[in-house]
Amino acid sequence: MTTKEAAFQADGPSAGVKLMAKLGNGAIAGVTGVSIIFPLDMVKTRLQNQKPVGGKMPYSGGIDCFRQILRGEGVRGLYRGLVPNLAGVTPEKAIKLAVNDIVRGVLAQRAGTSPERLPVMYGALAGATAGLCQVIATNPMEI
């Protein structure tokens, strides 16, 4: 067994655990972000799709729309359609954040620095790589 193979085997399980932790953290971040923003998305969508009723628009603005949803449908109305949205966003954010962290770590190691002190160009490369991986992995769900 070569030194490289021994190092890989020694790091294998912990690297796998680290990857799963990064994916889990990304998924939690995605769920949290979507859950916080979803009511605003609901209001925006209702405002964009409103049609005049009797010559008058149903909502006079964002706050009015928010109040009408709460009054007519309760808090559940603000989160209608959340589950399908989470099904798409959760893996997307998990992949993007995990790949970004991994690529930043690799680039930092090559540059002889820490991921926190990574030059801007390397940070941009890590983000672009993460975005590419995320799009490749999640695009079939969007079709």
Side-chain angles (χ1 to χ4, degrees):
M1 180 182 310
T2 67
T3 308
K4 192 173 184 180
E5 289 172 335
F8 177 76
Q9 284 185 348
D11 289 342
S14 65
V17 169
K18 286 180 184 177
L19 174 63
M20 293 307 291
K22 288 178 189 301
L23 288 169
N25 288 340
I28 291 168
V31 167
T32 303
V34 168
S35 298
I36 291 169
I37 297 301
F38 201 79
L40 296 175
D41 249 1
M42 176 63 75
V43 169
K44 175 192 69 138
T45 302
R46 297 257 182 119
L47 287 170
Q48 289 173 334
N49 293 327
Q50 70 179 327
K51 307 241 184 299
V53 178
K56 186 178 178 204
M57 297 300 256
Y59 309 113
S60 63
I63 294 172
D64 179 54
C65 180
F66 186 83
R67 285 180 180 155
Q68 284 191 45
I69 293 171
L70 276 178
R71 203 174 309 122
E73 304 169 47
V75 174
R76 281 184 154 183
L78 293 171
Y79 287 94
R80 183 164 285 122
L82 176 66
V83 173
N85 198 295
L86 288 176
V89 169
T90 302
E92 175 186 316
K93 296 299 181 201
I95 292 166
K96 191 183 292 183
L97 292 175
V99 171
N100 186 58
D101 279 356
I102 290 167
V103 173
R104 285 179 66 84
V106 169
L107 292 173
Q109 191 174 28
R110 286 188 178 195
T113 187
S114 69
E116 295 80 24
R117 296 186 180 270
L118 201 59
V120 173
M121 287 301 294
Y122 287 163
L125 179 60
T129 303
L132 177 65
C133 291
Q134 171 258 306
V135 166
I136 290 170
T138 61
N139 184 265
M141 290 188 285
E142 294 178 11
I143 295 178

